[in-house]
């Protein structure tokens, strides 16, 4: 799969935006302006942006919980300020300040999330079935981490997804740590692609730090799904250089993480690697880079202003209104 | 009019709704055969894309229902036995009821979870639950518990047309009950209790199979005690007004509930009656519920589940 | 008695060709199983020491789990980064240790990076990859027997192995990389998913030989009409335009018509400059080197590539060795 110059710049721009929002979210949480958690995603954000950037607007996307899905949603085209406002409990949030870490952008195919990991495997089955029934070539993309894959819902969902040939792309962002437990303590294998292959589901392993590789693999998987060839599994090997969530212990398997190893991991920072390649290939210039960074900062600042100036959601009458549909 | 059995009425409701709205589809393990014959014959009528047999995978069934519902479909997820909801509790009790709420009330999730519930079949503690109190504990989920073939059909059609998740629990011990069902279409709105027997001495509130037992008790006590039997028909929404009206009339209440007594629906209803009509009561409310044990298999079952004699005794005691 | 080296690539058999070319996922537990069978065969030949490259999956560790063998195993003391360079460094260390041969588990790509540094140490490549031209579809037990004979009899490359050619990639006068099967010049600008199966992107193909039975772009060579005497020789093919086209399997299950502008026999030690820039070089099926506008990259065929163990010959020697061993044990 080849990408045009415009596509490659779009990937870069979205990655810069996602990174800028990650920094913003971390700061807002530290300043006490978030009413929710924040699970940082920097250095592991290429997979989300690469996954979502070239999806169709009506494709269904279940964003990853890490970085709360900002990379995925920015890739998908939603305006992140409504999701930021949601994190701050504002009435202007995408869930009117009720969901905080939940996202809903129906016209962009983001139909909601669950904060209980593993829901994407079975809810995707329903989306896939509906997409198949709709018959308009919609594809469902479910993002998740290696921790989530240990849920039994994976088996229940993947099994019928293959059986029913549903147009689903499962994108695993394997960063090797599930909250505080390493992959080694969680699985008797390292490449989860083998699990998918057991169902006869085509599976591929890519470098999740290489945004082009992710976009290419997901692109091929989406193509298969659109052609009615059923689900695909894309395993992106990525990294986690932060603690599980902002403020939580930077520990794994009961011990402090080896910071030398974390520094080693940081060498695989996806944005600068990509930037270097783009410059070498003459696709962007230094001036372009500055401009993109400036625009991202302005976007983030405007989103922060929007969130902070929006009213806090304290209207109790919505509780009744939201509980049941009439 | 024709005489239909309880499960035939359910089958007819499903069939009519599948025919009426192409967004409706049914899925579950063995729905093509149907162990209680509620879905039998539907796959032949509507094809395997509308009546979908699944593996034994409750989470896939219920998760699929949630996904499809958020995309405008109206899935009916057949869980076979209501005891099995625990294998998909994540979806049934948390995800489905809360989805709309958490996402700012913008969506509707028209899902029916359907399953047979209840005991009196001696099939033991994992196939005899009446888990409605667990459901009621999770706002956002409607709970429908029909006690007659007529209601089973009308309430199921209303459940399918409702834009919210509904747990529709039919009772296994009522399967053989027959009743005249009109040829023409009818719907019973959710949230309307039914006075099954009018009376003046005591109000007995009982749903599903308990309602059948309560009516038998009322008939037995004819001439001795005038018993008013109320069938709530749906526990969420609950038609408290009809119950309170009766309480004001009789001043005495017995609540019969097949669920475990501790933290059950009967205790909840007692509290609500006392909150709203304490001054109308002439005697403490009595409840007849399953004893606080797991439901035993085999012949011990009768020592745990509510028995007709206990209902009679409770009524007599409350009017003393 | 010399030792045997083992380099198993945990990353092989998992790339995008599983999506676009019906490839199969090669599970690492299966690689460990193959290695178990290699160990058992080596053990039966009385091999005393096996040197193993550690890898991020721990294929070697898994292979030794619950395995009842007498041979001693040594894991190389090296940092494992989960990248190609692991295999290159491991091969270098093994060559320095003078192992009798190196058994590799992987595809063309794996052997390419091993061949960069293995020198004259013969390779015994077991195929666990996708496009496999260089490695052999061989059962682990048989590979273990062949390697066992090489080590037990302390055979040298020139006695027991066949010397394979390699393509050398030069940046000006500096050797920067090698390929064992083919070098493909394409108009990609990113490595992306690495595997190159897009025939519309290809400018040129360089081959170490044009034997039939290849898969990948090297199969184009076999599809061209050349004299029998030229079959074993290198080739340079210009793709696109022209009047000729050939049908070739460019990846598993991917049969494609490739338009041919021209082709010529590639004479050894004759350097050919890459004319297309910017462009991308795929080495043995994987996009590896991006060429900037002003870079002077050239390709040269060198007949003195890696040694590959001649399995038939090694097995015959193995038979004689075992018979001798058996007689010795009768005497004692």
């Amino acid at each position: 799969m080849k990408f045009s110059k415009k596509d490659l710049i779009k990937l870069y721009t979205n990655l810069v935006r996602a990174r800028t929002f990650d920094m913003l979210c971390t700061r807002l949480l530290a300043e006490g302006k978030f009413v929710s958690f924040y699970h940082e995603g920097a250095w592991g954000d290429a997979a989300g942006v690469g996954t979502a950037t070239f999806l169709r607007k009506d494709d269904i996307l279940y964003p990853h919980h890490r970085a709360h899905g900002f990379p995925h949603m920015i890739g998908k085209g939603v305006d992140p300020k409504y999701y930021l406002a949601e994190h701050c409990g504002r009435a202007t949030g995408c869930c009117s300040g009720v969901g905080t870490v939940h996202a809903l952008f129906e016209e962009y195919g983001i139909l909601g999330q669950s904060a209980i990991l593993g829901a994407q495997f079975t809810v995707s089955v329903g989306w896939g079935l509906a997409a198949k029934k709709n018959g308009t070539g919609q594809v469902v993309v479910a993002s998740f981490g290696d921790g989530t894959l240990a849920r039994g819902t994976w088996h229940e969902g993947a099994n019928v997804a293959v059986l029913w040939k549903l147009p689903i792309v499962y994108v695993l962002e394997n960063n090797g740590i599930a909250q505080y437990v390493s992959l080694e303590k969680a699985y008797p294998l390292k490449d989860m692609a083998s699990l998918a292959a057991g169902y006869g589901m085509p599976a591929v392993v890519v470098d999740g730090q290489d945004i082009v590789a992710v976009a290419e693999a997901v692109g091929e998987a989406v193509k298969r799904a659109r052609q009615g060839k059923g689900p695909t599994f894309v395993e992106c090997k990525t990294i986690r250089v932060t603690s599980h969530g902002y403020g939580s212990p930077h520990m794994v398997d009961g011990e402090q993480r080896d910071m030398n190893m974390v520094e080693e991991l940081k060498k695989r920072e996806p944005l600068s690697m990509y930037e270097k390649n783009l410059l070498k290939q003459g696709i962007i210039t230094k001036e372009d880079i500055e401009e993109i960074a400036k625009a991202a900062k302005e976007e983030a600042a405007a989103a922060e202003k929007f969130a902070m100036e929006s009213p806090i959601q304290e209207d109790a009458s919505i509780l009744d209104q939201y509980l049941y549909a009439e | 009019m024709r005489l239909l059995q309880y499960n035939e009425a359910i089958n007819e409701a499903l069939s009519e709704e599948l025919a009426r709205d192409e967004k409706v589809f049914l899925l579950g393990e063995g729905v093509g055969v149907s162990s209680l014959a509620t879905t039998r014959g539907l796959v032949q009528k509507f094809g395997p894309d509308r009546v979908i047999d699944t593996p034994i995978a409750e989470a896939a069934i219920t998760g699929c229902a949630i996904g499809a519902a958020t995309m405008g479909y109206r899935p009916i997820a057949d869980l076979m036995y209501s005891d099995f909801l625990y294998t998909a509790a994540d979806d049934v009790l948390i995800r489905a009821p809360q989805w709309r709420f958490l996402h700012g009330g913008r969506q509707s999730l028209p899902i029916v979870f359907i399953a047979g519930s209840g005991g009196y079949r001696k099939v033991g503690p994992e196939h005899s639950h009446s888990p409605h109190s667990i459901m009621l504990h999770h706002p956002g989920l409607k709970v429908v518990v029909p006690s007659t073939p007529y209601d089973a059909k009308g309430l199921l059609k209303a459940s399918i047309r409702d834009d919210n998740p509904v747990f529709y629990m039919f009772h296994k011990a009522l399967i053989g009950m027959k009743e005249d069902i009109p040829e023409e279409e009818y719907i019973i709105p959710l949230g309307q209790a039914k006075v099954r027997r009018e009376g003046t001495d005591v109000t007995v509130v009982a749903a599903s199979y308990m309602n059948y037992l309560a009516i038998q008790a009322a008939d037995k006590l004819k001439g001795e005690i005038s018993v008013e039997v109320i069938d709530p028909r749906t526990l969420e929404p609950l038609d408290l007004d009809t119950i309170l009206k009766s309480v004001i009339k009789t001043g005495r209440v017995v609540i019969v509930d097949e669920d475990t007594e501790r933290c059950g629906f009967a205790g909840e209803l007692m509290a609500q009656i006392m909150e709203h009509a304490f001054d109308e009561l002439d005697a403490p409310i009595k409840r007849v519920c399953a004893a606080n044990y797991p439901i035993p298999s085999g012949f011990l079952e009768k020592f745990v589940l509510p028995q007709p004699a206990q209902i009679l005794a409770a009524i007599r005691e409350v009017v003393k | 008695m010399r030792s045997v080296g083992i380099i198993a690539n945990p990353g092989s058999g998992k790339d995008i060709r599983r999506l676009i070319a019906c490839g199969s996922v090669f599970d690492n537990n299966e690689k460990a199983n193959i290695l178990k069978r290699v160990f058992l065969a080596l053990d039966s030949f009385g091999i005393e020491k096996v040197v193993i490259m550690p890898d991020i999956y721990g294929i070697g560790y898994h292979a030794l789990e619950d395995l009842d063998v007498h041979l001693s195993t040594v894991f190389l003391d090296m940092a494992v980064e989960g990248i190609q360079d692991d295999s290159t460094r491991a091969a270098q260390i093994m060559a320095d240790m003078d192992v009798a041969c190196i058994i590799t588990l992987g595809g063309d790509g794996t052997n390419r990076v091993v061949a960069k540094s293995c020198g004259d140490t013969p390779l015994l490549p077991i195929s666990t990859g996708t496009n496999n031209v260089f490695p052999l579809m061989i059962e682990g037990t048989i590979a273990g027997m062949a390697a066992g004979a090489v080590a037990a009899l302390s055979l040298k490359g020139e006695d027991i192995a066949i010397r394979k050619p390699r393509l050398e990639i030069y940046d000006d006068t500096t050797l920067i990389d090698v390929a064992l099967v083919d070098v493909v010049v394409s108009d990609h600008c990113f490595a992306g998913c690495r595997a190159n199966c897009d025939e519309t992107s290809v400018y040129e193909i360089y081959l170490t030989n044009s034997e039939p039975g290849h898969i990948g772009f090297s199969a184009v060579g076999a599809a061209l009409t050349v004299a029998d005497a030229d079959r074993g020789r290198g080739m340079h093919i210009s793709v696109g335009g022209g009047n000729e086209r050939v049908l070739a399997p460019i990846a598993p299950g991917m049969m494609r018509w490739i338009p041919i502008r021209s082709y010529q026999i590639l004479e050894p030690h004759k350097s050919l400059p890459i004319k297309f820039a910017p462009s991308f070089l795929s080495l043995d099926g994987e996009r590896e080197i991006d060429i900037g506008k002003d870079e002077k990259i050239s390709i040269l065929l060198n007949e003195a590539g890696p040694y590959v163990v001649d399995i038939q010959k090694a097995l015959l020697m193995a038979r004689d060795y075992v018979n001798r061993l058996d007689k010795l044990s009768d005497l004692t």
Side-chain angles (χ1 to χ4, degrees), chain A residues 2 8 188-191 194 197 202-206 210 212-213 216-217 220-221 224 232 274 277-278 280-281, chain C residues 10 14-16 18-20 25 27-29 56-57 187-190 192-193 198 200-201 278 280 287 290 295:
Chain A
K2 274 185 282 186
L8 293 167
L189 69 168
K190 270 226 172 79
D191 296 311
S194 296
V204 55
V205 179
V206 294
D210 182 340
V212 179
E216 190 178 350
E220 291 294 348
R224 284 190 80 250
T232 304
Y274 186 43
N277 282 344
L278 287 170
K280 185 177 177 190
Q281 294 282 335
Chain C
K14 296 182 175 67
D15 73 21
I16 193 147
R18 266 119 289 270
L19 303 199
I20 56 181
V25 172
D27 183 55
N28 285 337
N29 287 327
I56 53 160
Y57 178 74
D187 66 357
H188 286 92
C189 55
F190 276 87
C193 284
D198 177 7
T200 64
S201 72
F280 229 92
R287 282 172 265 164
D290 57 332
E295 286 178 286

Side-chain angles (χ1 to χ4, degrees), chain C residues 31 43 48 54 58 89 102-103 131 150 186 202 207 269 278 284:
Chain C
K31 290 178 197 167
D43 200 45
E48 286 158 8
R89 281 183 295 128
I102 299 172
I103 298 176
N131 281 20
V150 177
S186 70
V202 175
L207 303 179
H269 302 291
D284 296 342

Side-chain angles (χ1 to χ4, degrees), chain A residues 111 127 134 156 321 324-325, chain B residues 59 70 73 100 107 164 236:
Chain A
L111 305 182
W127 289 336
N134 288 349
E156 294 203 19
Q321 198 187 316
Y324 287 122
Chain B
T70 59
Y73 287 86
R100 169 189 158 81
Q107 295 154 302
N164 297 286
E236 165 66 14

Side-chain angles (χ1 to χ4, degrees), chain B residues 2 4 8-22 24 42 45-46 50 153-154 157 160-161 181-187:
Chain B
R2 65 257 125 88
L4 281 190
E8 291 168 344
I10 291 169
N11 188 286
E12 196 167 273
L14 291 170
S15 182
E16 285 177 13
E17 292 305 301
L18 280 162
R20 185 188 63 85
D21 184 351
E22 61 171 23
V24 175
L42 296 177
K45 257 192 234 172
F46 300 99
R50 305 279 311 282
K153 183 177 174 190
K157 285 171 72 88
I160 294 168
R161 294 184 196 191
I181 304 290
E183 300 280 355
E184 59 276 14
E185 183 175 68
Y186 67 95
I187 295 214

